[in-house]
Structure formats: structure tokens, C-alpha cells
């Protein structure tokens, strides 16, 4: 039997500390080692106790969450799960860039139903840290149109845990070919996807927006799937458009990477490119099969760099993945693929 996962809870609210401890210890394989009421105390205890996981509130006295993350990732990189309210999307995204493993949105009300949902999500993400390699990177430091009438080069990307900074690094590597269009299916609550898109948009050279129903796919544009809805590619009267349907009860994920990839395969055929980045679960595995059946390119992030190797591993296990690459190589190699396709088509 695997040893229990140890957790340090950092929160300036005694009530929150007690609640999180109770939720965490409802699992027999999770043990809360201790708690801290601010980042300064928390940093000392992480270095002393060496927990497997840290839960972190961002707004704290003495030493705030962002400074805590900077110091921790230099001194002793440890998986950190940020627990923050919906009102602080930009703070959460900054924390992910600084190295946080993942985040959970605090429920606005402490109803039994909300607490049970929080308990399940918290334990799922704590358990996912078992797949994080010691010393691995948990984050990152982080417009030319095609010929008239040509279908844009489209790349579909799927990610979950660890995805926001990974998507940013991919786009940075792809910046040498800013004529591509990128569709991103990132598992993320609906309250955060627009802020995620706005943050990426400030980086350049791509225009980044949260996708809307009926958007026409244009070169140099990145579309982020709206949280709680799917992102699908469609061909309407000879032009590429986006659809953002609501999920049905049978859908495990919304957005679904599988459905994104399957739509790309159906519309683009051998021109489809699907990339699976870090994340929990198997979303994307069915999708890469669909893309490969149509002769498209199917890539996955390697175990060496994936924060959580679940989604890439499951995609690779299908036998339908054509290339496995470390994260820092994916963007540049995609740019090279786009250049080869331009040359072969005479563009």
C-alpha cells in the first residue's frame, strides 16, 4: 500500500484551516502534517516538514502567496494547490505562472453540497500530485494573414492540470509562425477562462480570446474554450467557424479535448494537428485516434516535462500519437511543421 500523502495547509483563516483539514483527512491515504497562518510561517514549515503537497491561500499577512511561491520554487519545489475565490482570477493565473501545481475556486457558500464538491476536487488534485516527479518544473517564467481564400493552419491543443503555463510556453515557441490559428481546450472553471485568455493576449504575438459561438477562425488568433462549454470546429459554406455547445449529461469534461480533436479531424482531415499536454485523466485519447485515422498529426508532451503525465500517457497508449516531445520543443517543432506545409502548398 502506498504511503499517505502529506499536506501542509497555509491559510490565515482558522475556520478555513479546520475545514480543509477535515476535507483532506476524509481520505485514508491523506494526512495533514500541520498548518500555517501566513506565507512566512508556511515557508519555514515546508522546508522543515517537507510535505508532499501544500494548499495555499493567496491573500495573507506578512508574506503573501505570490512571494511565497517565488521563494518556495527556488528553495524546494513542491506541488502547491491554490485555493482562491472566483473574484481573483488574475491572481490565480499569476500563481500558476509562478509554479503552482493547480488551483481550486472556493465555493461562495458553505452548503453541504458545495463542501462535498470541494472535497472531491481537492482530493482529486492532491492525489494527482503522486505523478509529479521530484524536482520537476511546475510552471514557467513566461499577429500576417495567409493567402486570400486559403484555409488557415489550425492546431488543436488539449490540457488540464499544469496546462495554463504549458499552453503559454507552447505559444511562445510557436511565435515564429504567427499565421497559425490555435484552438485550446483547457479544463478550467468558467469564471477563469476569459481571464486566462486576456492574460495570454498580453504576451503576443497572437490575439487570444475566449471563443464565442460563430467565431470565424482567422490566422494569428488563439481561441480558448469557454469553461463549462465545448469548443468545436465546423465548416460552414467553405469557411472555418467555431461552435461552443453546452455539454450533455454524458460528458465527463466540458470543455472536452476529445470532442475538440474529433471536430478537427472531421473538418480538416489530414491537415488536422492535435497536441496533448499535461493533465489528469484520459481526455484526448479518443480524439487522437480520430485525428490519426484521417491522417493528421498527433503529438503529445513527454513524461520528462509533463506536470501530470495522465493525459499524454493515455494518448500515447492508443498507439495513435506520431510524436512525443518535451514541452520546450513542441512550439518550435509546430512552427517548423507549419513552414513545411506552407512550402509544400506553394505559399
Amino acid at each position: 500500500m502506498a504511503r499517505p500523502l502529506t499536506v501542509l495547509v497555509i491559510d490565515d483563516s482558522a475556520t478555513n484551516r479546520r475545514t480543509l483539514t477535515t476535507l483532506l483527512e476524509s481520505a485514508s491515504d491523506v494526512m495533514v502534517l500541520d498548518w500555517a497562518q501566513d506565507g512566512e510561517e508556511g515557508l519555514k514549515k515546508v522546508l522543515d516538514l517537507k510535505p508532499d503537497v501544500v494548499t495555499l491561500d493567496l491573500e495573507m499577512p506578512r508574506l503573501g502567496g505570490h512571494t511565497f511561491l517565488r521563494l518556495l520554487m527556488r528553495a524546494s519545489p513542491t506541488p502547491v494547490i491554490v485555493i482562491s475565490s472566483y473574484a481573483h482570477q488574475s491572481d490565480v493565473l499569476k500563481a500558476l505562472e509562478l509554479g503552482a501545481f493547480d488551483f481550486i475556486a472556493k465555493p461562495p457558500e458553505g452548503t453541504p453540497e458545495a463542501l462535498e464538491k470541494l472535497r472531491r476536487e481537492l482530493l482529486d488534485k492532491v492525489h494527482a500530485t503522486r505523478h509529479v516527479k521530484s524536482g520537476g518544473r511546475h510552471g514557467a517564467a513566461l499577429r500576417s494573414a495567409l493567402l486570400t481564400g486559403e484555409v488557415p493552419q489550425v492546431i488543436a491543443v488539449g490540457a488540464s492540470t499544469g496546462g495554463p503555463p504549458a499552453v503559454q510556453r507552447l505559444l511562445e515557441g510557436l511565435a515564429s509562425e504567427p499565421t497559425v490559428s490555435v484552438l485550446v481546450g483547457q479544463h478550467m472553471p468558467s469564471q477563469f477562462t476569459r481571464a486566462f485568455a486576456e492574460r495570454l493576449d498580453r504576451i503576443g504575438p497572437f490575439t487570444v480570446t475566449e471563443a464565442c459561438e460563430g467565431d470565424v477562425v482567422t490566422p494569428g488568433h488563439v481561441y480558448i474554450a469557454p469553461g463549462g462549454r465545448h469548443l468545436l470546429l465546423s465548416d460552414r459554406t467553405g469557411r472555418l467557424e467555431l461552435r461552443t455547445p453546452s455539454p450533455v449529461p454524458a460528458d465527463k469534461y466540458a470543455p472536452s479535448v476529445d470532442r475538440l480533436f474529433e471536430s478537427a479531424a472531421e473538418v480538416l482531415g489530414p491537415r488536422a494537428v492535435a497536441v496533448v499536454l499535461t493533465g489528469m485523466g484520459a481526455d484526448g485519447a479518443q480524439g487522437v485516434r480520430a485525428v490519426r485515422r484521417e491522417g493528421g498529426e498527433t503529438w503529445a508532451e513527454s513524461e520528462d516535462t509533463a506536470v501530470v503525465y495522465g493525459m499524454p500517457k493515455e494518448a500515447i497508449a492508443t498507439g495513435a500519437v506520431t510524436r512525443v516531445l518535451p514541452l520546450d520543443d513542441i512550439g518550435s517543432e509546430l512552427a517548423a511543421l507549419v513552414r513545411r506545409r506552407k512550402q509544400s502548398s506553394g505559399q
Side-chain angles (χ1 to χ4, degrees):
M1 182 176 177
R3 69 171 181 83
L5 282 162
T6 57
V7 184
L8 176 70
V9 175
I10 306 178
D11 199 303
D12 63 338
S13 165
T15 299
N16 288 345
R17 295 196 299 267
R18 287 193 297 268
T19 298
L20 290 172
T21 298
T22 299
L23 297 179
L24 287 162
E25 293 193 334
S26 68
S28 60
D29 61 345
V30 177
M31 178 175 64
V32 176
L33 288 176
D34 204 348
W35 55 263
Q37 61 185 346
D38 58 55
E40 184 175 319
E41 181 183 17
L43 188 60
K44 292 177 182 177
K45 289 190 174 182
V46 174
L47 298 178
D48 180 39
L49 300 174
K50 295 180 171 53
D52 296 311
V53 192
V54 174
T55 68
L56 178 69
D57 181 28
L58 292 178
E59 294 188 334
M60 297 180 294
R62 300 177 67 184
L63 189 71
H66 293 148
T67 303
F68 168 86
L69 281 166
R70 288 189 187 97
L71 296 173
L72 178 65
M73 293 308 163
R74 292 172 188 165
S76 181
T78 304
V80 175
I81 300 173
V82 170
I83 303 179
S84 179
S85 71
Y86 285 121
H88 299 93
Q89 298 103 320
S90 61
D91 289 344
V92 169
L93 294 170
K94 182 177 179 180
L96 293 172
E97 290 182 2
L98 291 172
F101 172 71
D102 210 335
F103 74 96
I104 297 172
K106 289 180 182 177
E109 298 178 355
T111 64
E113 295 80 9
L115 288 175
E116 174 58 20
K117 180 180 178 182
L118 175 60
R119 186 188 72 86
R120 291 196 304 266
E121 186 174 6
L122 179 58
L123 290 174
D124 280 348
K125 294 185 178 184
V126 168
H127 287 138
T129 65
R130 286 196 184 276
H131 307 289
V132 178
K133 296 169 288 301
S134 177
R137 296 182 65 181
H138 306 300
L142 272 202
R143 256 164 186 35
S144 76
L146 296 176
L147 297 175
T148 301
E150 292 291 335
V151 176
Q153 294 276 351
V154 176
I155 298 169
V157 178
S160 183
T161 302
V167 170
Q168 178 176 330
R169 288 165 66 183
L170 183 152
L171 294 178
E172 290 170 342
L174 190 54
S176 64
E177 281 297 330
T179 60
V180 298
S181 302
V182 185
L183 314 182
V184 179
Q186 164 70 53
H187 297 165
M188 181 178 281
S190 58
Q191 293 86 348
F192 289 86
T193 46
R194 180 167 295 180
F196 179 42
E198 290 171 351
R199 192 171 191 88
L200 290 176
D201 185 58
R202 292 194 290 269
I203 297 169
F206 300 99
T207 299
V208 187
T209 60
E210 185 182 56
C212 295
E213 179 73 21
D215 278 347
V216 176
V217 178
T218 58
H221 204 123
V222 177
Y223 303 87
I224 306 297
R229 304 181 72 87
H230 297 304
L231 175 60
L232 308 179
L233 187 66
S234 68
D235 181 2
R236 298 183 181 179
T237 65
R239 66 179 184 180
L240 299 181
E241 294 187 5
L242 299 178
R243 295 171 51 220
T244 57
S246 299
V248 298
D251 290 329
K252 185 175 182 180
Y253 301 105
S256 163
V257 177
D258 281 327
R259 291 194 61 180
L260 170 60
F261 287 178
E262 288 164 355
S263 71
E266 180 179 355
V267 172
L268 299 174
R271 293 173 57 91
V273 182
V275 182
V276 182
L277 300 178
T278 172
M280 294 190 292
D283 194 17
Q286 293 182 25
V288 295
R289 288 193 185 102
V291 172
R292 195 65 198 133
R293 281 196 301 269
E294 297 297 327
E297 292 277 343
T298 51
W299 297 14
E301 183 179 352
S302 71
E303 184 176 9
D304 293 339
T305 61
V307 173
V308 175
Y309 192 47
M311 283 172 54
K313 181 179 179 180
E314 294 295 331
I316 293 166
T318 67
V321 171
T322 54
R323 296 194 70 181
V324 179
L325 295 165
L327 177 59
D328 285 336
D329 292 346
I330 294 177
S332 59
E333 288 296 310
L334 285 171
L337 172 64
V338 172
R339 286 192 292 272
R340 290 195 298 271
R341 287 186 169 187
K342 284 182 177 180
Q343 291 168 359
S344 65
S345 64
Q347 294 181 23

